[in-house]
């Protein structure tokens, strides 16, 4: 009897639960219907489809065409606002052509269907378990004829072997990145990129426009040449942190590979094993080999980060001779951007303690079009190269900004003296570093106030167009600075020839971190000198030329170095549980939840 009572109560509770679930579902449906009806009356629904389409595109994609983070959440929320919005999105194939392996499997299926015949942009990020990646490629492979852009981080060997060992003539963009330099799994990328076991001439990809590879240690130099020769329309070639096995160039060298369409060449920390079985590697060798074999005429973005190494077989003179001329790159960049009004070319040059850097931009508002960083390059060769490349632009057509680090010796001062006649120098940045002596600062100030003889034979003040002087971590006496600036701007200063400037340009001085002395004692004296425009004390050092991180590239690739922890961008969960994106709360209203993909 007692058992029967419990069973009746249990059955009654189940009926209550069933009633509650039915009631909640009806309330939800009614609420969603009401909210959609309310949203349909909002002013935004009076916008024409074309304008609304543009708004959605800005919400879903960046200005460079990459899909934004939480893409599935965004598109889910937009579709849930009203039937009109849902219909507009569903019949716009462009919104469905960018797909990631992190997306929910149902979203991937629907995206492949709704993108119709548009080119596909696929992104696959590996994980510890490869079932999701294999399932992703299984679905994408049915649309192999539409692949236009493929980006892979941590490629899995089985997927590469199954889906990439065949021609893909429609592929234009290929981005490959690994964490440990090799492909996980039994297969390798030898056949994908040529190598000893395959011949690239048979052509897996022959219409590439963009090729970017990072952290790959099994590429051969011969495969790279085959790739370049097999893709004459290549526009962007980026190679980061790759390592090549030993390579013996053929003799004589074949004709250069013409890359008439190449617009961007980026090369970061690429090395090559010089002698088999040794640890001797040359980061200059691979760069020199590539530059020897290609002929580029339309490059508008050039970036190199390399270094010289003893015993590598490449001399400093040979390496700098192969680097593309910076003014040629700038001229091409200006032509490509349609810039007709002449602006001074902005050039930043850094003579560091163990490296040389130079960046050139087509104007003061542009990011660098030309950028090189070469470690262990002798300063004498760097100065000579600058003179050869910028010699015809030494007038006011250049805005040259010079930086010198650790000028702790007479030879370092000679490097500064080398440029004293250049009328294009507008900024001079001196970073003394630790251990700098007051004698160095005194001689520097003497240099700035001692007339020199120009190329035409006239006496001029050193750096006659200098407008900004920054000094940091350099100890000096205030009276030495006062004496130097007083002499530089005195009425007896020599007249510069050729540009009609009777006195040196007005000068702003910044005494940054670590400057010695008591600045308050000579502050007013320096400011009172005619020709001193401003004097700033202890300002933070400018973010000079030191940061070489991807200044030329728009790509957001590769992902972070811990690809298995990308929780923020993992949209593989059940779409029915997705939260409303805060960006849309005002338009959508609380209570809307994204609908599941049928």
């Amino acid at each position: 009897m007692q058992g029967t009572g419990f069973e009746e109560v249990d059955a009654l509770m189940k009926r209550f639960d069933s009633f509650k679930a039915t009631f909640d579902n009806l309330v939800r449906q009614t609420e969603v219907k009401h909210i959609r009806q309310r949203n349909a009356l909002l002013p935004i629904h009076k916008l024409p489809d074309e304008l609304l389409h543009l708004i959605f595109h800005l919400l879903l994609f960046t200005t460079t065409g990459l899909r934004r983070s939480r893409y599935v959440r965004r598109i889910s929320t937009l579709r849930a606002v009203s039937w009109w919005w849902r219909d507009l999105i569903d019949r716009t194939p462009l919104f469905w052509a960018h797909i990631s392996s992190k997306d929910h499997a149902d979203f991937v299926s629907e995206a492949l269907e709704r993108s119709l015949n548009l080119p596909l942009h696929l992104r696959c990020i590996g994980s510890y378990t490869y079932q999701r990646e294999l399932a992703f490629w299984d679905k994408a492979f049915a649309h192999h004829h539409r692949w236009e852009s493929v980006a892979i981080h941590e490629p899995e060997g089985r997927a590469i072997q199954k889906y990439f060992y065949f021609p893909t003539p429609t592929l234009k963009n290929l981005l490959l990145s690994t964490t440990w330099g090799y492909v996980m799994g039994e297969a390798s990328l030898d056949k994908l990129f040529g190598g000893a076991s395959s011949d690239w001439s048979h052509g897996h990809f022959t219409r590439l426009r963009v090729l970017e590879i990072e952290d790959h240690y099994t590429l051969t130099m011969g495969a790279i040449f085959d790739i370049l020769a097999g893709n004459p329309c290549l526009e962007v070639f980026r190679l980061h942190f790759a390592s090549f096995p030993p390579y013996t160039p053929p003799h004589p060298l074949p004709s250069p590979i013409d890359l008439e369409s190449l617009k961007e060449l980026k090369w970061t920390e690429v090395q090559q094993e010089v002698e088999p079985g040794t640890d001797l590697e040359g980061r200059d060798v691979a760069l020199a080999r590539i530059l020897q074999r290609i002929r580029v005429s339309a490059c508008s973005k050039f970036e190199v980060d390399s270094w010289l190494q003893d015993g590598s077989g490449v001399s400093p003179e040979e390496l700098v001779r192969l680097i593309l001329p910076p003014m040629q790159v700038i001229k091409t960049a200006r032509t490509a951007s349609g810039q007709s009004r002449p602006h001074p070319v902005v050039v930043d040059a850094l003579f560091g303690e163990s490296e040389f850097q130079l960046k050139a931009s087509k104007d003061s508002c542009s990011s660098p079009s030309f950028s090189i960083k070469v470690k262990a390059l002798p300063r004498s060769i760097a100065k000579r190269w600058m003179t050869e490349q910028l010699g015809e632009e030494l007038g006011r057509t250049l805005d040259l900004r010079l930086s010198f680090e650790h000028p702790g010796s007479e030879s370092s001062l000679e490097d500064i003296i080398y440029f004293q006649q250049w009328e294009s120098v507008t900024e001079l940045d001196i970073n003394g570093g630790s251990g700098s002596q007051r004698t160095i600062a005194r001689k520097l100030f003497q240099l700035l106030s001692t007339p020199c003889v120009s190329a035409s034979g006239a006496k001029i003040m050193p750096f006659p167009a200098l407008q900004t002087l920054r000094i940091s971590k350099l100890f000096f006496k205030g009276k030495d600075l006062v004496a130097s600036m007083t002499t530089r701007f005195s009425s007896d200063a020599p007249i510069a020839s050729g540009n009609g400037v009777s006195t040196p340009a007005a000068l702003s001085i910044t005494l940054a971190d670590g400057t010695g002395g008591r600045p308050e004692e000579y502050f007013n004296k320096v400011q009172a000198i005619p020709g001193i425009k401003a004097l700033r004390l202890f300002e933070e050092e400018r973010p000079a030329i030191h940061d070489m991180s991807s200044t030329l590239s728009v790509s957001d690739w590769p992902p972070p170095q811990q690809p298995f922890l990308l929780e923020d961008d993992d949209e593989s969960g059940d779409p029915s549980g997705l939260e409303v994106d805060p960006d849309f709360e005002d338009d959508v209203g609380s209570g809307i939840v994204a609908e599941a993909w049928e």
Side-chain angles (χ1 to χ4, degrees):
M1 190 70 179
Q2 185 176 3
T4 304
F6 282 127
E7 291 175 355
E8 291 178 350
V9 171
D10 184 61
L12 180 63
M13 292 300 297
K14 288 181 179 179
R15 288 197 295 271
F16 281 149
D17 290 341
S18 177
F19 173 79
K20 183 178 182 300
T22 303
F23 179 79
D24 289 344
N25 186 50
L26 289 174
V27 170
R28 177 183 178 277
Q29 292 179 3
T30 303
E31 182 181 11
V32 168
K33 182 178 180 181
H34 171 73
I35 292 176
R36 281 178 172 164
Q37 291 174 346
R38 183 202 67 182
N39 290 343
L41 300 176
L42 294 176
I44 195 172
H45 284 278
K46 298 179 182 180
L47 296 176
D49 285 0
E50 293 77 9
L51 185 55
L52 199 58
H53 180 278
L54 177 60
I55 294 173
F56 290 168
H57 191 277
L58 293 174
L59 291 171
L60 296 173
F61 300 97
T62 67
T63 55
T64 57
L66 301 174
R67 75 178 213 174
R68 296 186 183 276
S69 61
R70 300 182 183 275
Y71 179 83
V72 175
R73 293 171 184 255
R74 289 173 179 263
I75 201 171
S76 300
T77 304
L78 289 172
R79 293 175 82 242
V81 171
S82 68
W83 291 112
W84 179 34
W85 282 26
R86 176 173 180 145
D87 178 66
L88 179 61
I89 292 173
D90 288 354
R91 55 186 169 86
T92 305
L94 181 62
F95 294 159
W96 303 91
H98 296 251
I99 312 172
S100 170
S101 63
K102 293 291 184 180
D103 298 339
H104 188 274
D106 292 341
F107 176 85
V108 172
S109 299
E110 184 158 353
L112 290 171
E113 178 182 350
R114 294 192 180 279
S115 58
L116 300 181
N117 293 321
L118 283 189
L120 292 176
H121 304 266
L122 307 177
R123 174 170 175 167
C124 182
I125 301 177
S127 60
Y128 286 121
T129 60
Y130 296 104
Q131 295 306 315
R132 182 195 297 177
E133 285 71 35
L134 293 175
F136 172 77
W137 288 120
D138 276 337
K139 293 181 178 181
F141 184 70
H143 302 265
H144 162 255
H145 59 285
R146 295 198 286 138
W147 291 6
E148 180 173 292
S149 176
V150 173
I152 312 175
H153 183 67
E154 299 298 348
E156 203 277 326
R158 288 169 293 178
I160 292 296
Q161 188 173 22
K162 184 176 180 180
Y163 302 112
F164 286 89
Y165 282 10
F166 51 84
T168 311
T170 60
L171 195 64
K172 294 182 179 179
N173 300 347
L174 179 61
L175 291 82
L176 174 69
S177 173
T178 68
T179 299
W180 306 110
Y182 56 86
V183 178
M184 306 181 80
E186 296 180 359
S188 70
L189 295 183
D190 291 343
K191 292 184 179 179
L192 177 62
F193 288 112
S197 58
S198 181
D199 183 3
W200 181 271
S201 62
H202 292 145
H204 291 191
F205 318 116
T206 58
R207 299 181 183 178
L208 289 180
R209 298 294 188 273
V210 177
L211 176 63
E212 184 167 3
I213 307 171
E214 185 195 35
D215 277 318
H216 191 49
Y217 298 162
T218 62
L219 280 176
T220 65
M221 187 67 70
I224 285 291
F225 292 143
D226 288 340
I227 292 171
L228 298 179
N231 290 272
C233 296
L234 192 67
E235 297 178 2
V236 177
F237 179 38
R238 306 184 188 116
L239 195 57
H240 320 274
F241 307 102
S243 180
F244 294 97
Y247 173 74
T248 302
H251 183 77
L253 286 176
S255 300
I257 301 171
D258 286 318
L259 297 175
E260 297 179 356
S261 301
L262 192 66
K263 299 177 181 178
E264 179 180 341
L265 178 60
K266 184 173 181 180
W267 194 275
T268 308
E269 292 287 350
V270 178
Q271 62 189 20
Q272 181 179 3
E273 186 179 353
V274 178
E275 298 179 10
T278 70
D279 294 332
L280 181 60
E281 296 175 323
R283 286 167 173 79
D284 49 356
V285 178
L287 171 62
R289 297 290 178 261
I290 294 289
L291 294 178
Q292 283 175 340
R293 289 290 308 278
I294 64 175
R295 183 158 49 203
V296 180
S297 58
C299 187
S300 58
K301 291 184 179 180
F302 180 81
E303 181 172 342
V304 164
D305 185 349
S306 186
W307 67 1
L308 288 163
Q309 186 166 339
D310 293 338
S312 64
V314 177
S315 66
E317 293 84 358
E318 181 182 4
L319 181 64
V320 298
R321 187 169 60 250
L322 294 170
I323 293 176
L324 297 185
M327 298 311 299
Q328 174 184 319
V329 175
I330 291 295
K331 181 179 179 180
T332 305
R334 284 184 163 179
T335 301
S337 63
Q339 187 182 77
S340 57
R341 183 180 176 182
H343 295 275
V345 176
V346 179
V347 178
D348 287 274
L350 167 68
F351 292 85
E353 186 175 17
S354 60
E355 66 186 28
F356 169 70
Q357 297 185 43
L358 187 138
K359 292 184 179 182
S361 308
K362 57 182 183 287
D363 55 54
S364 58
C365 300
S366 303
S367 58
S369 298
F370 179 94
S371 180
I372 63 170
K373 176 181 178 181
V374 185
K375 299 175 184 177
L377 181 68
R379 286 190 174 186
S380 59
I381 295 177
K383 292 184 297 185
R384 185 164 64 249
W385 178 82
M386 281 188 62
T387 303
E388 294 172 353
Q389 298 299 327
L390 307 178
E392 298 181 359
E393 307 287 341
L394 294 185
R396 294 308 299 273
T397 56
L398 281 185
D399 182 358
L400 181 56
R401 306 166 182 178
L402 296 177
S403 298
F404 295 89
E405 290 187 345
H406 311 296
S409 63
E410 297 290 341
S411 60
S412 299
L413 286 175
E414 292 177 0
D415 295 331
I416 301 175
I417 294 173
Y418 181 87
F419 297 97
Q420 64 180 346
Q421 299 179 19
W422 290 32
E423 298 179 17
S424 54
V425 179
T426 60
E427 294 187 16
L428 189 60
D429 193 335
I430 310 295
N431 186 334
S434 58
S436 299
Q437 303 297 322
R438 282 190 171 89
T439 56
I440 299 298
R442 185 181 303 116
K443 292 180 179 180
L444 172 63
F445 292 144
Q446 291 175 353
L447 165 65
L448 295 176
S449 59
T450 303
C452 61
V453 179
S454 68
S456 62
K459 280 190 174 183
I460 61 172
M461 273 294 172
F463 307 105
L466 187 66
Q467 300 175 26
T468 302
L469 173 65
R470 293 184 179 88
I471 302 176
S472 59
K473 299 179 181 179
L474 189 66
F475 296 94
F476 64 90
K477 292 183 178 181
K479 64 179 183 180
D480 292 336
L481 177 60
V482 173
S484 174
M485 295 299 103
T486 300
T487 303
R488 181 176 177 85
F489 294 103
S490 67
S491 58
D492 298 331
I495 298 177
S497 62
N499 56 12
V501 180
S502 58
T503 58
L507 186 62
S508 296
I509 302 177
T510 297
L511 305 178
D513 179 58
T515 305
R518 296 181 178 179
E520 64 277 2
E521 295 182 1
Y522 54 83
F523 185 88
N524 293 332
K525 293 181 180 180
V526 174
Q527 280 199 318
I529 299 173
I532 298 298
K533 184 165 56 177
L535 176 64
R536 302 181 183 89
L537 300 180
F538 309 115
E539 182 182 80
E540 291 185 2
E541 293 180 87
R542 66 171 178 143
I545 190 175
H546 310 277
D547 184 10
M548 291 285 292
S549 57
S550 193
T551 56
L552 304 182
S553 305
V554 184
S555 172
D556 66 343
W557 194 261
Q561 289 300 315
Q562 293 181 329
F564 311 123
L565 302 179
L566 299 179
E567 298 296 338
D568 291 341
D569 288 330
D570 189 344
E571 305 190 85
S572 60
D574 184 359
S576 62
L578 296 178
E579 299 176 357
V580 175
D581 193 305
D583 294 341
F584 307 105
E585 281 184 354
D586 294 338
D587 292 335
V588 178
S590 59
I592 286 290
V593 294
E595 297 173 322
W597 305 100
E598 288 87 14

